[in-house]
Amino acid sequence: MALLTNRAASPVADSGKGRGRRALAFLKEAKYEFLKLWRLPVYSLSTLVFPAMFYVIFGLTFAGQYTAGVSLTTYMLATYGAFGVIGCALFGFGVAVAVERGQGWMLLKRASPMPPLVYFAAKLAMALLFSGLVITMLFSLGALVGGVRLPVLGWLQLFLTLLAGALPFSMMGLAFGYLLGPNSAPAVLNLVYLPMAFVSGLWIPIDVLPQAIRQFAPLLPPYHYSQLALGTIGADRGGDPLLHLAVLAGYTLLFLAVALVGYRRDEGRTFG
């Protein structure tokens, strides 16, 4: 009877141990991913400092002016928040994956008992963590220096909307990480990231941009992301939020599919 009881309980116990091991592996991978990124000034300084620096230059310098019905410091809190989150996601995933593929880290990871999904989950967690730091830094600047005043629910809605943007742009970074080599990834991503952000109205209000650029902007995912963020402070251009969400969801699936193709291509080259 005792034997029968032990046999019946064994799969459950094994399942519980398996989840515990995966959770422990995720925590360790996330910890070392954080330490790696934090100790890389080219990542930690650029992703944390640049959005705040641009907000000071283009936002705080023009404090007292208004656009889209809100102060410029409030408007640019949303757009530079979006700019910062996209940078964290693109470079935390894109450059990191491309470099680690080139250095052979993927082969080493595959030889370890760690499930492959843990590797990507840890990178996504760090993209969210650094994005949260960027948003918090900008919010502090806006509130303490720029005189931005929002209700508590407004701050929370803007924070969560901006943070959620890490998901689609992490998938975009992952796709580039599997398409590009370690040497070309930083340059190509910058060539995509900076013009894409400018055209989408993340640097200066989109209604100030030329008509031709304004017509092109809705084709880009940052435009829809920024409109959702601006919608939380009542400064969007009046588009349907569901349309913005649908476009971002479509791009997320597209980038994920491209990354999957690249992942399988690498697996085929490595293991035949």
Side-chain angles (χ1 to χ4, degrees), residues 62-100:
F62 298 98
Q65 299 190 28
Y66 287 78
T67 183
V70 298
S71 68
L72 200 59
T73 50
T74 304
Y75 184 96
M76 290 197 166
L77 203 57
T79 56
Y80 277 108
F83 176 71
V85 169
I86 294 172
C88 291
L90 277 185
F91 291 93
F93 252 99
V95 175
V97 169
V99 169
E100 289 167 8

Side-chain angles (χ1 to χ4, degrees), residues 1 9 29 107 165 229 243-244:
M1 185 66 184
E29 182 71 11
L107 192 58
L243 173 63
H244 299 313

